[in-house]
């Protein structure tokens, strides 16, 4: 069985990172299916992206977006502050 397991500082951060990894895997499969090879990202760019993505405001914004996507736009009351 294959799958993804994520441990993170918060549940919201873990969900955002899982979705990010899932999307990266989807893109990689598309590139492979097209017969191409995506150029590697410079390590310093990866470090900047990771640092920016893990800022609390970005985690909350991305989690809020994912929650709205999952609920068709309506957030449950407990998540309403994530807009």
């Amino acid at each position: 069985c294959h799958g993804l397991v994520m441990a993170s500082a918060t549940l919201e951060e873990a969900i955002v990172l899982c979705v990010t990894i899932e999307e990266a895997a989807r893109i990689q499969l598309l590139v492979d299916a097209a017969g191409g090879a995506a150029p590697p990202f410079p390590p310093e760019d990866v470090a900047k992206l990771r640092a920016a993505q893990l800022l609390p405001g970005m985690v909350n914004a991305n989690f809020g977006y994912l929650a709205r996507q999952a609920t068709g736009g309506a957030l449950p009351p407990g998540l309403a502050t994530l807009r």
Side-chain angles (χ1 to χ4, degrees), residues 13-62:
E13 185 177 285
I15 290 170
V16 167
L17 292 174
C18 280
V19 171
T20 300
I21 291 171
E22 190 73 26
E23 180 65 8
R26 186 186 73 77
I27 291 167
Q28 184 63 52
L29 287 172
L30 290 171
V31 169
D32 290 347
F41 286 100
E44 56 275 3
D45 289 351
V46 173
K48 287 179 191 176
L49 179 60
R50 179 174 168 76
Q53 186 176 22
L54 294 179
L55 291 171
M58 285 300 294
V59 169
N60 287 340
N62 285 324

Side-chain angles (χ1 to χ4, degrees), residues 61-72:
N62 285 324
F63 182 78
Y65 168 78
L66 294 170
R68 287 188 299 279
Q69 291 294 105
T71 61

